[in-house]
Amino acid sequence: MKFESQPSYSLGQRTPASREVAVGENGGNVTLVSQSALGAINRGRVLQALYDNGPKSRADLARLAGVNRTTITGIVQPMIEDQLLIEGDASPSDVKGGKPARPLYFNPDAPMLGAVLLLPGTIQTCLVALTGEIKAVAKAEFDTHGDTEAFIAVMTETLTATLSQAQQAPFGIGVASAGMIDSDNGTILTVNLAPVLTGLPLVAILQERFSLPVAIDHHPRALLVGDRWFGPGRGQQNFAAVYTGEVLGGAFFIDGKVYRGLAGSGGELGHTVVQIDGAPCNCGKHGCWETVAALPWLRKEAARMGLPHPKSITCARLVKEADEGSNAAEELLVRYTRNVAFGIVNLQQTLSLNSYVLHGDVAGGGMKAAELIRQHVEQLVVKRPGQEISITVNGIGEGHTALRGAAGLVLSSHLKLVI
Amino acid sequence: MKFESQPSYSLGQRTPASREVAVGENGGNVTLVSQSALGAINRGRVLQALYDNGPKSRADLARLAGVNRTTITGIVQPMIEDQLLIEGDASPSDVKGGKPARPLYFNPDAPMLGAVLLLPGTIQTCLVALTGEIKAVAKAEFDTHGDTEAFIAVMTETLTATLSQAQQAPFGIGVASAGMIDSDNGTILTVNLAPVLTGLPLVAILQERFSLPVAIDHHPRALLVGDRWFGPGRGQQNFAAVYTGEVLGGAFFIDGKVYRGLAGSGGELGHTVVQIDGAPCNCGKHGCWETVAALPWLRKEAARMGLPHPKSITCARLVKEADEGSNAAEELLVRYTRNVAFGIVNLQQTLSLNSYVLHGDVAGGGMKAAELIRQHVEQLVVKRPGQEISITVNGIGEGHTALRGAAGLVLSSHLKLVI
DNA sequence: AGCAGTTAGTTTGTACCTCGCACAAACTTA
DNA sequence: TAAGTTTGTGCGAGGTACAAACTAACTGCT
């Protein structure tokens, strides 16, 4: 299946294969900004402002961006003509007098984004509208230890089933995957529980089959992007997403952009050390954060303390049992959230992002878990005048955040938001 | 003392008091890029490319930046006319044939930068040429528990003594200070050992007295900038500077710019936790990195192990004694460097910068200490295909790196390098 | 009803920046 | 001496944002 290319301002335009500059020395990656690039940048920023702030009139956008109204008109008009944006009804506005503003927002019928969530053994695909709406969900399973060709066949089939339901060619495809991902080169490095994926150049494969821009990143970073575009991180310029469950991971939104680190390897928080020479970890080291703040620790402690059904313990159940009066559950919950807090404290001391969105198991603990973690963090962080730290949970519709985030990856990486 | 303003392209031009946009919602800090800003940005990038790569011809710069040669000429010509840059002698070049290139570099007689290093009890000031050369050093002492006015008087006097030796008005003044600094607002929040500085709006004060752009940041970040402009970080796009001594601190250069975090509070690594419920720390918590990788720990362990003169132990002496055959020194050195490594490992797992420059006590341990740390880090980090981690020391001329870094702060913050 | 005041969005002309092309200058090689 | 190569400089084209002036639409006062 092939799709036609996009309109001239193109959400999905690929970067022009960054010229090979071989003057070398030490990399020498200075790049000047050209006039034409400038247009693309500003178009991207206007779109992001619309995402971040909801429907807004041209005049509002101009004020928001600190530019002339005419500039906004120039940027926005072609998008309206291409039906990416639509002009809402003239709202009477809150101020008295004056011509009523016409709010602009994304056309619900504009092209959508393809999204893939790749976890060991399962593929989930869907279409995501620019408004965050999810459609055409499809699921499939694959043999984690099987043949690469077989996996690619299943993947292509599932994705085709989803994409074919789109009215128009999607802007692109975003993939969120478990494991270690090289997002620069678009390859899956390793997925512990799915060896079939090792070394798979998935971006190249999908780009070739579907002729669309494709972006890939690891699961926590997709959650981050999902939070940023459609969740509690909307409009924020600095925050982190933290995932806890069988493993721990994180991702950062710094100064208005997704932080990836070299080859996309930033945010592997599970194996930061919080207990020198502590308990052994799967990674072969000792005292990793993962050894004290992930589900295996929780199960082990629940068993040790004699809590019921320790093998299936979750933060959600812990909160429930604590609320029902179990002192043991309360005590374990406090210790668990404190252990989680240490990782956030270290992040805070290092990056000072001040805002954290929790996913996965602790998110299942809801407000109560978040508040406990916030208290621990507050207590453990070196105080700084005027600093407020916010901890939010985004556990509801877990899978949807990851899928929306996968879709958002395409937006983030192909809308040149930052130079 | 007042100085005249700078030429039109102005290295030291202040940002035009970022328009007050009161549309609010959630900050709404989208900013579009204007035409004129673009010019300033590209001028800044060309200058940075010159810094990073040394003298280069227009043609080389054009290749380096991936732009047209004429563009470089347009940017560079006014700077030559204003004597900021000078054209070197035509070098025969390595390639065969063709008109020889005229390398461009900074004019040694161009305006300099004022630099201040502020440590508890002492002020050090100097002038730094764009080439990194240091001139007109002045020192003074102040009463750490005294009167604010008295401190300001000493500071002004010392700085005036230095600045008055400049041939031309400096581009600006950069301040590196111990303690907790709010670099956004240009105030010193707290310096534990110098209460007189608490809450001091130093940037505003100096800006008023000297009518020059002033930038302030904390000591580790100045080291980072010093490394970046004039040291081992030159030309690098991603690296961290780590300082160890009585306290620990760090700073990051991420994607070609200095990372500050909100209100400049990023990089307070000393109080990241590496030992939950470990030894008590000055900050009131337990198991901070500072409790196992700073000098107090080293002294305590040296005493416990019966090493000679434990109160004045340093990494440098430890290396020396180990080289002379002391098994105890060797053993302590290994443990010390391992403890230092844990902090770097956590940084690496979090940000994946791959390159670390050490300052302070461990830097005194030279290559041997660096190599030991590198080995520990290598062993403790989760391996990733193709990843190389570099550990460098920059202990020589410690004070000079901080002063050069202070000067570089002005360049970094007032050369709008990133949009 | 009419007019002033206010805000939104558009039209028009201007300034600025980068790019591609053409060309002179300077040097090497045959 | 001629051909080839590289550097650096004019000049016009194309694209972008901005300022000023204009029209459109609505409120409120007389």
Side-chain angles (χ1 to χ4, degrees):
Chain A
M1 189 198 304
K2 292 257 176 185
F3 291 102
E4 293 312 305
S5 68
Q6 295 302 315
S8 64
Y9 56 81
S10 179
L11 263 172
Q13 195 170 22
R14 238 154 298 163
T15 60
S18 59
R19 231 170 302 186
E20 305 266 342
V21 184
V23 178
E25 228 97 351
N26 33 25
N29 34 6
V30 214
T31 39
L32 300 198
V33 185
S34 80
Q35 211 75 356
S36 40
L38 200 154
I41 292 159
N42 283 350
R43 275 192 292 273
R45 293 197 178 179
V46 167
L47 288 178
Q48 180 149 66
L50 271 177
Y51 263 103
D52 293 352
N53 300 286
K56 280 270 168 287
S57 70
R58 296 168 179 80
D60 277 346
L61 286 171
R63 275 189 291 266
L64 216 57
V67 296
N68 200 286
R69 290 201 306 275
T70 57
T71 304
I72 299 292
T73 298
I75 289 174
V76 142
Q77 217 54 33
M79 294 179 175
I80 293 177
E81 279 160 27
D82 277 323
Q83 311 216 320
L84 174 68
L85 301 180
I86 44 170
E87 223 172 4
D89 286 336
S91 62
S93 92
D94 43 344
V95 292
K96 50 178 186 280
K99 175 178 175 176
R102 307 289 306 272
L104 301 171
Y105 205 57
F106 294 92
N107 185 349
D109 299 327
M112 302 179 82
L113 301 154
V116 179
L117 177 57
L118 191 55
L119 299 174
T122 69
I123 300 173
Q124 201 173 341
T125 64
C126 73
L127 288 169
V128 180
L130 292 177
T131 49
E133 213 179 322
I134 288 185
K135 281 182 192 163
V137 180
K139 279 189 191 187
E141 306 204 336
F142 65 93
D143 181 0
T144 52
H145 290 65
D147 179 52
T148 305
E149 291 307 316
F151 166 76
I152 294 176
V154 174
M155 164 69 95
T156 307
E157 195 184 318
T158 317
L159 197 47
T160 303
T162 283
L163 295 188
S164 62
Q165 292 187 49
Q167 308 282 335
Q168 309 159 64
F171 283 121
I173 302 167
V175 182
S177 172
M180 209 182 259
I181 310 296
D182 182 341
S183 54
D184 283 5
N185 295 312
T187 59
I188 298 174
L189 294 176
T190 54
V191 183
N192 279 340
L193 301 172
V196 65
L197 300 176
T198 301
L200 195 70
L202 193 58
V203 164
I205 293 169
L206 295 182
Q207 242 162 21
E208 200 231 320
R209 311 243 160 166
F210 295 98
S211 302
L212 286 174
V214 179
I216 190 171
D217 223 316
H218 69 163
H219 183 228
R221 214 165 286 143
L223 292 173
L224 177 88
V225 174
D227 286 336
R228 165 67 178 147
W229 287 108
F230 309 109
R234 177 176 286 207
Q236 289 203 54
Q237 297 299 305
N238 293 281
F239 75 102
V242 174
Y243 176 85
T244 83
E246 296 296 331
V247 296
L248 301 183
F252 321 124
F253 201 78
I254 297 181
D255 287 342
K257 62 186 274 201
V258 178
Y259 179 74
R260 292 201 155 76
L262 299 179
S265 62
E268 298 188 347
L269 303 176
H271 304 288
T272 56
V273 176
V274 294
Q275 193 83 59
I276 293 178
D277 300 324
C281 178
N282 290 331
C283 71
K285 301 191 297 166
H286 290 259
C288 297
W289 188 33
E290 204 164 291
T291 63
V292 298
L295 281 174
W297 178 89
L298 189 64
R299 283 194 287 264
K300 201 186 62 194
E301 288 296 305
R304 201 177 58 78
M305 292 172 71
L307 265 74
H309 311 294
K311 291 205 171 159
S312 63
I313 191 81
T314 63
C315 188
R317 221 183 75 204
L318 215 49
V319 166
K320 184 158 163 285
E321 289 173 9
D323 281 346
E324 287 167 4
S326 160
N327 284 338
E330 177 78 29
E331 189 204 316
L332 183 54
L333 179 62
V334 169
R335 285 172 56 214
Y336 182 44
T337 52
R338 180 163 181 262
N339 283 353
V340 170
F342 277 109
I344 294 174
V345 165
N346 284 359
L347 261 187
Q348 174 64 22
Q349 292 289 129
T350 305
L351 290 173
S352 182
L353 296 172
N354 287 8
S355 178
Y356 301 86
V357 181
L358 305 178
H359 294 264
D361 184 58
V362 282
M367 292 268 291
K368 171 145 182 173
E371 177 55 21
L372 277 170
I373 290 172
R374 201 194 59 74
Q375 285 172 16
H376 288 305
V377 169
E378 196 83 12
Q379 203 170 9
L380 292 166
V381 107
V382 175
K383 277 184 190 48
R384 216 180 142 90
Q387 191 170 59
E388 279 278 334
I389 297 171
S390 116
I391 308 272
T392 325
V393 291
N394 186 11
I396 310 146
E398 181 64 54
H400 281 191
T401 297
L403 280 169
R404 288 201 183 102
L409 287 174
V410 188
L411 291 176
S412 289
S413 66
H414 291 276
L415 269 184
K416 284 260 153 274
L417 294 178
V418 179
I419 301 180
Chain B
M1 192 198 300
K2 293 256 176 181
F3 292 102
E4 294 310 307
S5 67
Q6 295 302 316
S8 65
Y9 57 79
S10 180
L11 263 172
Q13 196 170 21
R14 238 154 297 163
T15 60
S18 59
R19 232 168 302 186
E20 305 267 341
V21 184
V23 179
E25 228 96 352
N26 32 27
N29 33 7
V30 215
T31 40
L32 300 197
V33 185
S34 80
Q35 214 76 350
S36 40
L38 199 156
I41 290 158
N42 283 351
R43 276 190 293 273
R45 293 197 177 179
V46 167
L47 288 177
Q48 180 149 66
L50 272 177
Y51 263 102
D52 293 352
N53 300 287
K56 281 270 168 287
S57 69
R58 296 170 181 78
D60 277 346
L61 286 171
R63 275 188 292 265
L64 215 57
V67 297
N68 198 288
R69 289 201 307 275
T70 55
T71 304
I72 298 291
T73 298
I75 290 174
V76 142
Q77 217 54 33
M79 293 179 175
I80 293 176
E81 277 159 27
D82 276 324
Q83 312 217 318
L84 174 68
L85 301 180
I86 44 171
E87 222 170 6
D89 286 336
S91 61
S93 95
D94 43 344
V95 293
K96 50 181 183 278
K99 177 177 173 177
R102 307 289 307 271
L104 300 172
Y105 205 56
F106 294 93
N107 184 348
D109 299 327
M112 302 178 82
L113 301 155
V116 180
L117 177 57
L118 191 54
L119 300 175
T122 69
I123 299 172
Q124 201 173 342
T125 63
C126 73
L127 289 168
V128 180
L130 292 177
T131 48
E133 212 179 322
I134 288 184
K135 282 182 191 163
V137 180
K139 280 189 189 184
E141 308 205 333
F142 66 92
D143 182 1
T144 53
H145 290 66
D147 181 52
T148 306
E149 290 307 317
F151 166 77
I152 295 175
V154 174
M155 164 68 95
T156 308
E157 196 185 319
T158 317
L159 197 47
T160 304
T162 283
L163 295 188
S164 62
Q165 292 188 48
Q167 308 282 335
Q168 308 159 65
F171 282 122
I173 301 168
V175 182
S177 172
M180 209 181 258
I181 309 296
D182 182 341
S183 54
D184 283 6
N185 295 311
T187 60
I188 299 174
L189 294 176
T190 54
V191 183
N192 280 339
L193 300 171
V196 65
L197 301 176
T198 302
L200 195 70
L202 193 57
V203 164
I205 292 169
L206 295 181
Q207 241 162 23
E208 200 232 320
R209 311 241 160 169
F210 296 98
S211 301
L212 287 173
V214 180
I216 191 171
D217 224 316
H218 70 164
H219 182 228
R221 214 165 285 145
L223 293 173
L224 178 89
V225 173
D227 286 335
R228 165 67 179 149
W229 287 109
F230 309 109
R234 177 175 285 207
Q236 291 203 53
Q237 297 299 306
N238 292 282
F239 74 102
V242 174
Y243 176 86
T244 85
E246 295 296 330
V247 297
L248 301 183
F252 322 125
F253 201 77
I254 298 180
D255 287 342
K257 62 186 272 202
V258 178
Y259 179 74
R260 293 202 155 75
L262 299 180
S265 61
E268 298 187 346
L269 304 176
H271 304 287
T272 55
V273 177
V274 294
Q275 192 84 59
I276 293 178
D277 300 324
C281 177
N282 289 331
C283 73
K285 301 190 296 169
H286 291 257
C288 298
W289 188 32
E290 204 165 291
T291 64
V292 299
L295 282 173
W297 178 89
L298 189 64
R299 284 195 285 264
K300 201 186 62 195
E301 288 296 306
R304 201 177 58 78
M305 293 172 70
L307 266 74
H309 309 293
K311 292 206 170 159
S312 63
I313 191 81
T314 63
C315 188
R317 221 183 76 203
L318 215 49
V319 167
K320 185 159 164 282
E321 289 173 10
D323 281 346
E324 287 167 3
S326 162
N327 283 339
E330 178 78 30
E331 189 205 318
L332 183 55
L333 179 62
V334 168
R335 287 173 54 214
Y336 183 44
T337 51
R338 180 163 181 262
N339 283 353
V340 170
F342 277 109
I344 295 174
V345 165
N346 284 0
L347 262 187
Q348 174 64 22
Q349 292 289 129
T350 305
L351 289 174
S352 182
L353 296 172
N354 287 9
S355 177
Y356 301 87
V357 181
L358 305 177
H359 293 264
D361 185 58
V362 282
M367 294 268 291
K368 172 146 183 174
E371 178 54 21
L372 278 169
I373 291 172
R374 200 193 59 73
Q375 286 171 17
H376 288 305
V377 169
E378 197 83 12
Q379 204 171 7
L380 292 166
V381 108
V382 176
K383 278 187 188 45
R384 216 181 143 90
Q387 190 170 59
E388 280 278 333
I389 296 172
S390 116
I391 309 272
T392 326
V393 291
N394 185 11
I396 308 146
E398 181 64 53
H400 282 191
T401 297
L403 279 169
R404 288 201 184 99
L409 287 174
V410 188
L411 292 177
S412 290
S413 66
H414 290 275
L415 269 185
K416 285 258 154 274
L417 295 178
V418 180
I419 301 180

